[in-house]
Each structure stands twice: as structure tokens, then as C-alpha cells.
């Protein structure tokens, strides 16, 4: 029986820094990720992919605003569903191309994620979306569009939107069936379309859910063996940007908690990934890995030498009982 890994791929890995974000550029980047997924499958893993959508949903929002005089604008949660379809198709086609027919099934699921309507995140937008802007442009667009803007990890200014905690993946049982059938599944794209419960109904709500936290929720519910959080660097770096900067091969959950409490992991970059890793390892006793796209498959090999190709977050002895 295959082990399951959930791979969380950032939207910035599909539209990379410095690129215009054309379809051709995104397709090239998707093929790079598809190569890693196919190698993981060949190594005996069942793979579920969760992708981010920050750049794409932000760009789509700009297009909506620009065309509002000609066609009705759509709410943000609808744009989330549109990017799930767009990027799910992009990744599915890339997997078919790279897989060369050896993958038994590839399915992209438009996924809904339940959030709490009273989540305090709705009063405090923190999730960056869209392109990076200089401060003057960001302030002007904030005034013209009624946006909240803020600096994103020293890389420029971006629009900020609400990012509530994911509570439940609506299509979980269907995703599980697809994984059990042997399919490579793309699910919870962009964290999933945010919805709130209204009696027996689900209603969309304007927000963008953090894809790393949604990936953790999905991985824990699937009882996955591993959660791989893909970023732009091979390993987590402590004291980043200082003369004492050093990368980390392995951290226990307690060590990761301590570093997070010291402010080592900014919210705009590594913070959500480390938080998702801690939650997953604590919940399941599995392993979480933070690394770049090229090292995804190699990082899953425990014989690679304690995170030789990524940062592994592993259970603390004090927490093993909680996960069992």
C-alpha cells in the first residue's frame, strides 16, 4: 500500500518573482513541479498537491476591477474558484505531459473549505495577493480601490485580504476515495474556496485561506505520512539576513516552536509553513519537510541523511504520546 504525501506548492512557484505571469511561463514552472511529483510516485508515494494562488487571484482581481464598467464584477471567493480551475488544469496537463502515460489517474478537485464567520481575521487582513508594488503605487491603489496594503517580507507592497483559519475540507471523503483509487489529486487549491456554514447550506465568503494551513488540515485528515511545504529555498534559515545566518537540517516540534516564539519566521514568508508543519507533526506523528521544488522527491527519502535536501520537522519525545 502506498504512503501518502501532501505537497503544498506556493502560487509564487507557478508565477515566479521577476516573471510577468504569462500562461507560457506558468506552464514551464508547472512542468518543473510535475517532474518532482512523478519522481515521488515512482518512489512509491501517493501524491496530493495543494497549490497557492496569491499572485493569480490578485491579478484576476485587477482584471475584474478594470472591466467593471463592461461586465459585472465577481466576489473574491468566486475568483478563488476560478483560480482553482485554472491552476488545477495547468498542473493536470503538466502531469500528463511529464508522466508520459505512467500515472493511473490525474484529478483536479474544486474544493471548498469551511471557515468561521466570526474569525478575527476578517477584521485584520494579512494575506498578500497580487503583484508586488512600490510603496507609492500601493498607497495610490489602496486609496482608489479601497484596499488594505502592506509590505510583504521586504519584497515590496501587496494588497492584503482576510485569511481565516481553515476548519474543514468539504470534499475530504471524495479526495480520499480518489487517493485510494491511485489518482494523483490536485485539491484545496488556494486553500480552497472559503465558505461558512448556514444551517445545512454553505455560503461563500470573501477571503483567501493560507494554502499551507489548508494543506496541513487535508494531510492530517488523510492521515498522510508526510507533508512537504515547497518554498524558494532548500532549507529553513535561522537568523536570516544576518552574519549568523545558518540553515537547519532538522528540528523537533519543540525546537520549531521555540524558534517561532523568538520571531525567526516572518508571517509573510516562513511563518505559515512552520506553523503548518508543527500542527501536522503534532497531530499525526508524521514528518513535515520544507524545501524547494527540485528537492521534493529526494527529501522524502529518510536515508538522505537527516534532511540533506530539506528541513525536516519531526516529533519531540515529549509530544509522541499526543500524536499516537
Amino acid at each position: 500500500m502506498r504512503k501518502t504525501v501532501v505537497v503544498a506548492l506556493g502560487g509564487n512557484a507557478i508565477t515566479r518573482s521577476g516573471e510577468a505571469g504569462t500562461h507560457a511561463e506558468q506552464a514551464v514552472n508547472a512542468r518543473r513541479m510535475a517532474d518532482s511529483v512523478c519522481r515521488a510516485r515512482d518512489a512509491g508515494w501517493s501524491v496530493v498537491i495543494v497549490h497557492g494562488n496569491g499572485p493569480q487571484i490578485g491579478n484576476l482581481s485587477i482584471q475584474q476591477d478594470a472591466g467593471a464598467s463592461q461586465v459585472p464584477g465577481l466576489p473574491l471567493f468566486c475568483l478563488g474558484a476560478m483560480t482553482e480551475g485554472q491552476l488545477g488544469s495547468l498542473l493536470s496537463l503538466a502531469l500528463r505531459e511529464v508522466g508520459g502515460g505512467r500515472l493511473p489517474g490525474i484529478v483536479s478537485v474544486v474544493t471548498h473549505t469551511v471557515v468561521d464567520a466570526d474569525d478575527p481575521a476578517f477584521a485584520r487582513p494579512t494575506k498578500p495577493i497580487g503583484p508586488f508594488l512600490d510603496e507609492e503605487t500601493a498607497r495610490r491603489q489602496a486609496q482608489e480601490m479601497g484596499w488594505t496594503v502592506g509590505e510583504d517580507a521586504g519584497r515590496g507592497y501587496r494588497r492584503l485580504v482576510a485569511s481565516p483559519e481553515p476548519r474543514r475540507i468539504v470534499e475530504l471523503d471524495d479526495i480520499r476515495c480518489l487517493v485510494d483509487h491511485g489518482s494523483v489529486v490536485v485539491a484545496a487549491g488556494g486553500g480552497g474556496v472559503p465558505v461558512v456554514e448556514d444551517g445545512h447550506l454553505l455560503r461563500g465568503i470573501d477571503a483567501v485561506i493560507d494554502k499551507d494551513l489548508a494543506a496541513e488540515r487535508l494531510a492530517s485528515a488523510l492521515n498522510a505520512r508526510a507533508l512537504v511545504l515547497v518554498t524558494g529555498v532548500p532549507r529553513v534559515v535561522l537568523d536570516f539576513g544576518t552574519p549568523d545566518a545558518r540553515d537547519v537540517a532538522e528540528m523537533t516540534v519543540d525546537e520549531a516552536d521555540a524558534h517561532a516564539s523568538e520571531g525567526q519566521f516572518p508571517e509573510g514568508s516562513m511563518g505559515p509553513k512552520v506553523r503548518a508543519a508543527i500542527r501536522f507533526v503534532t497531530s499525526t506523528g508524521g514528518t513535515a519537510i520544507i524545501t524547494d521544488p527540485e528537492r521534493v522527491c529526494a527529501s522524502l527519502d529518510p536515508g538522505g541523511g537527516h534532511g540533506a535536501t530539506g528541513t525536516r520537522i519531526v516529533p519531540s519525545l515529549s509530544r509522541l504520546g499526543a500524536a499516537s
Side-chain angles (χ1 to χ4, degrees):
M1 186 173 182
R2 285 178 175 269
K3 305 160 290 185
T4 298
V5 57
V6 174
V7 179
L9 170 68
N12 287 313
I14 299 174
T15 299
R16 296 193 172 193
S17 177
E19 294 181 343
T22 66
H23 176 76
E25 289 171 337
Q26 293 182 63
V28 169
N29 296 331
R31 284 194 291 273
R32 291 193 185 106
M33 193 63 222
D35 179 68
S36 293
V37 170
C38 288
R39 285 188 281 120
R41 279 282 309 184
D42 291 342
W45 290 86
S46 294
V47 184
V48 179
I49 303 171
V50 176
H51 63 77
N53 68 345
Q56 296 81 18
I57 196 171
N59 293 348
L60 190 55
S61 176
I62 292 171
Q63 292 176 341
Q64 290 279 311
D65 291 334
S69 63
Q70 300 182 59
V71 294
L74 296 173
L76 189 61
F77 68 85
C78 285
L79 306 190
M82 292 166 72
T83 59
E84 275 203 87
Q86 172 209 349
L87 297 176
S89 171
L90 186 80
L91 290 165
S92 295
L93 293 175
L95 286 163
R96 290 185 185 281
E97 178 180 347
V98 175
R102 70 182 189 270
L103 299 177
I106 303 162
V107 183
S108 178
V109 180
V110 175
T111 310
H112 301 81
T113 303
V114 175
V115 302
D116 187 343
D118 296 323
D119 192 305
F122 287 108
R124 190 177 63 254
T126 58
K127 178 68 175 175
I129 66 171
F132 291 95
L133 307 168
D134 59 62
E135 184 175 5
E136 181 181 352
T137 302
R139 301 296 182 197
R140 184 180 69 252
Q141 291 195 357
Q143 185 173 15
E144 293 173 354
M145 307 287 194
W147 291 352
T148 299
V149 299
E151 192 175 14
D152 182 0
R155 296 173 291 182
Y157 286 76
R158 298 174 77 186
R159 180 185 176 187
L160 301 178
V161 300
S163 185
E165 284 275 334
R167 299 297 180 190
R168 179 171 64 86
I169 306 296
V170 175
E171 290 82 6
L172 173 63
D173 289 342
D174 304 288
I175 294 167
R176 183 182 287 113
C177 285
L178 290 166
V179 173
D180 290 345
H181 182 70
S183 296
V184 174
V185 183
V186 183
V193 179
V195 294
V196 295
E197 293 177 315
D198 181 6
H200 68 283
L201 302 177
L202 297 173
R203 302 195 185 279
I205 191 167
D206 279 351
V208 175
I209 298 168
D210 185 272
K211 66 97 180 40
D212 293 317
L213 300 183
E216 179 279 319
R217 184 68 67 183
L218 180 58
S220 294
L222 291 173
N223 198 28
R225 184 78 61 86
L227 170 64
V228 180
L229 302 149
V230 180
T231 184
V233 294
R235 287 179 175 174
V236 173
V237 177
L238 297 177
D239 295 320
F240 179 76
T242 75
D244 296 323
R246 60 207 183 276
D247 61 13
V248 182
E250 184 172 291
M251 294 185 286
T252 66
V253 166
D254 286 343
E255 289 169 337
D257 253 342
H259 291 315
S261 297
E262 295 165 0
Q264 288 279 0
F265 310 125
E267 278 303 307
S269 56
M270 201 60 72
K273 291 176 176 57
V274 173
R275 188 158 65 251
I278 290 171
R279 291 181 183 181
F280 173 73
V281 176
T282 300
S283 172
T284 67
T287 299
I289 301 161
I290 300 175
T291 193
D292 60 17
E294 291 74 20
R295 293 168 175 82
V296 167
C297 183
S299 71
L300 290 167
D301 179 8
H306 295 292
T309 55
T311 298
R312 299 173 74 86
I313 294 88
V314 299
S316 300
L317 290 177
S318 62
R319 303 197 188 198
L320 284 175
S324 60

